[in-house]
Amino acid sequence: MREYTENESDNKKINFLKPCVYIVGAGPGDPELLTIKAQKLLLAADVILFADSLVPQQILELCRDEAEIIGTANKTLEEIVPLMVERVRSHKSVVRLHSGDPSLYSATREQMQLLAEAKIPFEVVPGISAFQAAAAKLKVELTVPGLVQTIILTRSSGRTEVPPTEELTSLAAHQASLCLYLSTRHIQDAQAKLLKHYPADTPVAICFRLGWPEEKIWIVPLEEMANLTEQQKLTRTTLYVISPALKQATAQMLNTGVGRSRLYHPEHSHLFRLQE
Ligand SMILES: C[S@@+](CC[C@H](N)C(=O)[O-])C[C@H]1O[C@@H](n2cnc3c(N)ncnc32)[C@H](O)[C@@H]1O
């Protein structure tokens, strides 16, 4: 059995993990975007369960050669949870790897509930979500003073229904920076709903497999979002960022001071930089 030393500073040292399930956010796909904690857990875990279709192979290259690696794409919750329970009861450490951050569209709630009922200890390790990876790739800030100060993370209804109170048309009314997950198959419908409130030329970043070797990003006007999705045959692992902030992300605009944050402005004082 391996145990994990929380304050271990040397990444290369093999840490020892306690028998427990670690629900870990793997980030968008680039292994360099794993947290240090996630990396340490992957280096030391006895068993790794991962969503095959969502976590790229490159992340698993960190795992020990002797680790048991189990793909979960073809498994039900009723198969996955007993597997984790059995391994922990056999004094093994288990990493349950989810793409991005486990707090978003990861079906972790029901896993945690069943683990708690079985009295299996578990911990959650956050990861970088796709929307954060997208903003970094695009070199944009999704909140721009005077333009947009709200980010909406949402999805289209599919097999999982979105509650009527969160209907896309009503969210679009805010004209916020809107990050649309899990929506390629319903993109015509999503576009029509978004166009009820966003101008047709609002920029949309269509981000396919961010951080994967085959990553692609297109920036198109909202009215072309669905066409491009269909032309490129995008059916999975695609995030849409619809935002007026994408327009502002040009060096020219920053030079003129448009949309400049007050935080670093010389006329703005705050706790760590009092105005003279
Ligand atoms: C099941 S959800 C998981 C979301 C994940 N927990 C997160 O925080 O990013 C899968 C959806 O997230 C988005 N997504 C996750 N990883 C992505 C990536 N590397 N590139 C683009 N979109 C991604 C896509 O919309 C995909 O359909």
Side-chain angles (χ1 to χ4, degrees), residues 73-112:
N74 61 355
K75 294 195 178 5
T76 61
L77 182 68
E78 289 70 17
E79 293 170 304
I80 295 169
V81 175
L83 256 172
M84 298 197 280
V85 169
E86 190 280 323
R87 299 302 190 274
V88 173
R89 287 190 178 144
S90 312
H91 306 287
K92 291 187 171 161
S93 53
V94 175
V95 164
R96 173 71 176 116
L97 205 53
H98 285 276
S99 70
D101 182 73
S103 69
L104 268 88
Y105 311 122
S106 294
T108 47
R109 184 187 58 87
E110 48 272 54
Q111 295 178 60
M112 293 190 280

Side-chain angles (χ1 to χ4, degrees), residues 3 9 13 29 99 106 116 135 195 232 273:
E3 259 173 37
S9 59
K13 253 186 208 164
S99 70
S106 294
L195 280 171
Q232 297 294 328
R273 198 187 58 238

Side-chain angles (χ1 to χ4, degrees), residues 27-29 54 98-106 128-131 180-183 207-212 236-240:
L54 291 171
H98 285 276
S99 70
D101 182 73
S103 69
L104 268 88
Y105 311 122
S106 294
I128 292 180
S129 184
F131 87 93
L180 198 56
Y181 288 71
L182 293 160
S183 295
C207 308
F208 172 70
R209 295 207 158 157
L210 292 158
W212 293 48
R236 39 206 325 220
T237 331
T238 304
L239 176 82
Y240 300 87

Side-chain angles (χ1 to χ4, degrees), residues 147-268:
L147 184 70
V148 55
Q149 287 290 287
T150 302
I151 301 174
I152 296 175
L153 309 180
T154 191
R155 59 167 296 170
S156 295
S157 278
R159 269 175 294 177
T160 305
E161 279 291 311
V162 174
T165 48
E166 297 165 27
E167 226 272 316
L168 194 53
T169 315
S170 60
L171 298 181
H174 299 286
Q175 295 189 37
S177 288
L178 191 142
C179 306
L180 198 56
Y181 288 71
L182 293 160
S183 295
T184 49
R185 290 177 204 279
H186 307 276
I187 205 63
Q188 287 287 4
D189 178 59
Q191 178 175 311
K193 287 175 173 161
L194 292 168
L195 280 171
K196 294 219 161 90
H197 294 287
Y198 286 91
D201 65 349
T202 304
V204 178
I206 305 179
C207 308
F208 172 70
R209 295 207 158 157
L210 292 158
W212 293 48
E214 59 270 45
E215 169 186 287
K216 278 197 189 134
I217 300 176
W218 299 265
I219 301 186
V220 297
L222 176 57
E223 61 190 348
E224 289 172 26
M225 175 175 81
N227 272 349
L228 187 124
T229 302
E230 286 167 7
Q231 269 165 21
Q232 297 294 328
K233 301 189 173 47
L234 303 176
T235 52
R236 39 206 325 220
T237 331
T238 304
L239 176 82
Y240 300 87
V241 181
I242 298 104
S243 174
L246 297 182
K247 239 186 214 170
Q248 294 250 328
T250 62
Q252 198 189 347
M253 279 171 172
L254 291 173
N255 284 341
T256 59
V258 173
R260 181 171 174 173
S261 166
R262 297 295 301 166
L263 186 61
Y264 296 110
H265 200 284
E267 288 163 18
H268 177 75

